[in-house]
Amino acid sequence: MFCEGAKTEPEYLDALKREPAVKDVASVQIKINKAKRGSPPLTLVKAAAEARVRSRKEEGEVDQVWCLFDTDWPNEHPNLQEAESLAAKEAVHLAVSNPCFELWLILHFEECRGPLQNKEADRRRKKIDGSPNKGLGKADYMGNRTKAARRARDLDAMHKSNGNTFPRDNPSSGMYRFLEALENTQVP
């Protein structure tokens, strides 16, 4: 797993790795290249693709490589569609949150069906978990991840029926696909 975030995303992934449904079936390695942290998604996907090739040659044990990043609305990252195309070509899976990872956290506790900007998503997340800054607050995210996945899947269905495609699918989060792959389940 490669992610652009330096605090919130790694904290979430570390908590996820400790969940019995995950630790008993999967080994998740979180790689955060400090030189790439905060890099645009295309740079992250390139690094993930290179790591995927290296791991296949050296270890042969890596089943999937994932990138977790945001679109950062309204100041969208450059080359988002190029990053998506390269990921597909290089068999790198994407868990993109639009506008930001905080949306994924919001979905653990409530619906969010209208477009958001980063600042509004961050404000709503802070209200939910009480954290004044980046990072996970005291909210029980892991206990609500199935709800979040169902809400994220519903958002994808809504965008599909409306004809909204990446990166114009605000709000959305592909984190549910990562959970499904990790836990080898499909959200009901």
Side-chain angles (χ1 to χ4, degrees), residues 154-172:
D154 289 348
L155 286 173
D156 270 2
M158 177 186 78
H159 289 303
K160 185 175 181 179
S161 71
N162 293 336
N164 295 329
T165 58
F166 177 80
R168 300 287 170 241
D169 55 351
N170 180 344
S172 66

Side-chain angles (χ1 to χ4, degrees), residues 133-154:
N133 300 309
K134 290 283 189 183
L136 300 181
K138 296 180 181 176
D140 178 21
Y141 289 107
M142 293 304 111
N144 289 319
R145 69 184 186 274
T146 301
K147 290 177 186 176
R150 186 173 50 255
R151 289 174 179 141
R153 180 181 283 286
D154 289 348

Side-chain angles (χ1 to χ4, degrees), residues 86-145:
L86 180 62
K89 178 182 171 199
E90 297 294 334
V92 172
H93 301 275
L94 299 180
V96 180
S97 292
N98 188 356
C100 54
F101 188 73
E102 284 71 16
L103 167 71
W104 171 246
L105 299 178
I106 292 166
L107 293 174
H108 285 69
F109 298 94
E110 58 189 55
E111 296 283 339
C112 183
R113 302 198 52 94
L116 285 175
Q117 291 190 11
N118 285 22
K119 287 182 182 180
E120 173 65 13
D122 193 45
R123 185 192 64 73
R124 286 177 67 176
R125 191 264 319 159
K126 286 176 181 175
K127 185 177 176 185
I128 288 168
D129 71 15
S131 176
N133 300 309
K134 290 283 189 183
L136 300 181
K138 296 180 181 176
D140 178 21
Y141 289 107
M142 293 304 111
N144 289 319
R145 69 184 186 274

